[in-house]
Amino acid sequence: MKESFLSEQTVEINSLFEDVFDGKTPKRVPILTNIDNAFCLEYVGFDLKKEQYSIEKTLQAIEKTTCDFNGDTVLGITLRLPQLYSILKARNFKMGADGFLQHPEVRGMEVEDYDALIADPYKALWDTILPRIYEGLNEPSFLGSKTLAFAFFTFISSMGQLENGYTEIASKYGRSTYTMASAASAEPLDMLSDQLRSFSEISKDIRRYPDKVVAACEALLPICLKAGITPKSNRYNRTFVPLHMAPYMREKDFLKFYLPTFSAYIQGMADAGVGANLFVEQDWMRYLDYLNELPKGTLMVFEYGDAKTIKEKVGDRHVVSGLYPIGLLKSGSEEQCIDKAKELVDIFAPGGGYIFSFDKAILRLNDVNADNLKAVFNFVHEYGQYK
Amino acid sequence: MLDLKVLTLALGDLEEDQVMDLLREFTATNPSEGDALEAVAACQGGMAIVGELFEQGEYFVGDLIFAGELLTEAIGVLKPALGGGASAVIGTILLGTVHGDLHDIGKNIFRSMSEAAGFEVVDIGIDVAIEEFVAKAQEIKPQIIGMSGVLTLAIDSMKETVDALKAAGVDAKIIIGGNPVTKDACAYVGADAFTTNAAEGVKISQDWI
Amino acid sequence: MEVKSEYYTNLVNTLEKYDIPEEAVLFAGESLQTLEEMLFGFTIYLIS
């Protein structure tokens, strides 16, 4: 992105990411983090139960956090809008006593809904699935329409406000305008598993109704592709794809139910010129060879695994990332934290194709020691220079 | 005549149709309560195989979930034949997700696997208040208390709950499980054991009895 | 990208559906089809 309104520093940081995704060695290892806006709200002393409802306050918190921490991007991803879930009377995102939104296992779809989903997924979502997840959509007559109107407006206006705010913050503090998720969509089996059939039910379905699961994934593929390829998507404005089910499956099941539509999804995006940012959740070491076959230049943020093996097996073809344990940021000394960052940079950085990132999203202030986080960012800035 | 070994293996292989066919044929012969109890034991033996295959990396969490479902289904078919008799309970576990945390997949897997191993499990749900844990522990006097959690904040909730249990004089063994638990967290919480692996959790529990 | 669904209307059908005259295609495409696309994005958010 080289729009004239961006500050010089922003353009320079952007170029670090652009180089990596262009397969060139950047000037320095860029840093891409997944930090929840709840972290920022708590960092500035706001109360999740109150200020979280305000986009303006959220942006204030994100601005202060971005200013105080030397990350390369705007810190604080606002994924969840509590007001939206309140309006919709959501079952899938509920607030704990402290105001933090959690995601209990929900099931919006029953076994008997498979045929309708396979025939027309978008219609099945609105006819049966979403009303099960969002009780507010079931309100009679005008009230149901009003709920939907409120929710849709809240979503569009909030996301628009946030996007503008992020760009402003990026330019003001010389941070990159790129993020982990320019767009986001799960791959087909994960989409089917998460809120439609649920983790527990899909584990039964793949044994009881294997053909329907396969057909449902194929039916969802165009939906995933449409969500993953937006007008502004490209090789730098990338689509976030959190991976979920594969590590919990046998390889035999993975090959039948997961891999075909997963690789078709990533390939379909690549064919449209859109890069994928995979969050490789849990342990994928037994699947590294399959990951390596994905379209060149896919970003893979690993939660678990051996850094050397990862670099060796997928690091030539893809951009590797992740593995830095946020648990260490909470309990380790500053020296230990920096040693760990050095260890990962030493393994991952040679030859380029590396973006520094953590193993998990940082959700709450209490998840880490903020001083350690600052120290690690500063260290990567200095130590991650390519000669 | 029901071949118990075949039943055990079929369950271990997670062959649902075969398991259910065997059991339906079996119950159609109006088996005695003793025979039905043997069939339950054979199913539990199958679950032990599932646990072993999980540890060996042959099965994964999705398979454990299905195994739990299969066992529940199997016991459901056998229930009428069991009459009032129940299979021997080797111990009681009080189980719940600690306060502030609403997640329950891991807890449910642990529940079905420990039930399969012969434990009686009293599952008090998610986001369980400290007082509820204490009151229930005093009421049912379990040998083991299992606490589950996915969020990092669950560690603090676990500690608070363990402190309250100890203050109330509850002397059950305590095991914590879930994504954020580690050896350090276990020491901090004051639990007797920790695991991120349901099958291992069941083993630890068995060793305590 | 388009999806085939009874509930999704592509640009050509949108113009037909609202009886938009040819000279207004560019403008109506922007104002009407954008809503269709936004609603699709919202739908995905709701299951994410």
Side-chain angles (χ1 to χ4, degrees), chain A residues 94-98 100 102-105 199-201 203-204 207-208 247-251 253 286 303-304 331 360 363-364 366-367, chain B residues 13-16 57-63 65-66 69-70 73 100-105 108-109 126-127 151-153 156 179 184:
Chain A
K94 295 242 177 225
M95 251 181 213
D98 57 359
F100 186 69
Q102 300 181 38
H103 183 25
E105 190 181 31
F199 184 94
S200 301
E201 295 303 313
S203 303
K204 302 170 195 169
R207 290 172 184 276
R208 289 179 176 158
Y248 306 103
M249 301 167 79
R250 294 182 297 176
E251 184 164 346
D253 296 328
R286 62 194 163 111
E303 182 176 12
Y304 283 99
S331 58
K360 292 178 173 49
L363 301 176
R364 309 288 298 272
N366 209 7
D367 283 355
Chain B
D13 288 342
L14 299 176
E15 289 295 342
E16 182 176 33
E58 297 282 326
Y59 281 163
F60 295 89
V61 170
D63 306 297
I65 290 175
F66 182 71
E69 165 87 359
L70 183 52
E73 211 184 0
D101 199 317
L102 310 178
H103 298 86
D104 64 358
I105 295 176
N108 295 346
I109 295 172
I126 56 172
D127 195 13
L151 304 170
T152 46
L153 68 84
D156 286 321
N179 198 38
D184 290 347

Side-chain angles (χ1 to χ4, degrees), chain A residues 82-90 136-137 139 146-148 150-151 154:
Chain A
Q83 58 275 37
L84 179 67
Y85 297 114
S86 304
I87 290 168
L88 287 166
K89 298 198 172 78
L137 295 175
E139 286 162 15
K146 181 176 163 183
T147 297
L148 183 55
F150 274 32
T154 299

Side-chain angles (χ1 to χ4, degrees), chain B residues 1-201:
Chain B
M1 194 47 217
L2 177 65
D3 189 331
L4 295 173
K5 273 188 194 145
V6 173
L7 176 60
T8 298
L9 288 179
L11 202 136
D13 288 342
L14 299 176
E15 289 295 342
E16 182 176 33
D17 292 345
Q18 196 191 352
V19 170
M20 298 319 286
D21 286 349
L22 284 169
L23 291 177
R24 279 194 206 100
E25 272 171 41
F26 171 67
T27 50
T29 64
N30 283 321
S32 71
E33 205 176 296
D35 286 346
L37 282 172
E38 278 186 23
V40 171
C43 290
Q44 290 174 336
M47 283 297 275
I49 296 179
V50 170
E52 277 162 31
L53 290 173
F54 177 75
E55 285 190 28
Q56 290 163 17
E58 297 282 326
Y59 281 163
F60 295 89
V61 170
D63 306 297
L64 294 186
I65 290 175
F66 182 71
E69 165 87 359
L70 183 52
L71 184 79
T72 309
E73 211 184 0
I75 306 284
V77 173
L78 289 169
K79 222 164 218 162
L82 287 168
S87 53
V89 169
I90 64 167
T92 304
I93 300 176
L94 173 64
L95 181 66
T97 302
V98 291
H99 71 89
D101 199 317
L102 310 178
H103 298 86
D104 64 358
I105 295 176
K107 170 179 72 62
N108 295 346
I109 295 172
F110 177 75
R111 182 186 64 212
S112 62
M113 294 203 66
S114 38
E115 281 173 348
F119 284 99
E120 183 194 5
V121 181
V122 178
D123 183 346
I124 48 175
I126 56 172
D127 195 13
V128 176
I130 297 171
E131 311 79 57
E132 206 183 329
F133 254 113
V134 173
K136 204 70 189 173
Q138 287 172 330
E139 181 196 327
I140 64 168
K141 304 206 171 6
Q143 284 95 338
I144 297 166
I145 298 176
M147 293 176 199
S148 174
V150 165
L151 304 170
T152 46
L153 68 84
I155 299 295
D156 286 321
S157 301
M158 286 172 180
K159 180 172 170 53
E160 292 161 17
T161 309
V162 170
D163 288 349
L165 285 165
K166 289 191 173 156
V170 175
D171 63 354
K173 290 274 192 187
I174 294 170
I175 180 165
I176 57 173
N179 198 38
V181 308
T182 58
K183 197 173 163 207
D184 290 347
C186 183
Y188 170 75
V189 165
D192 298 294
F194 75 98
T195 184
T196 53
N197 169 335
E200 183 190 71

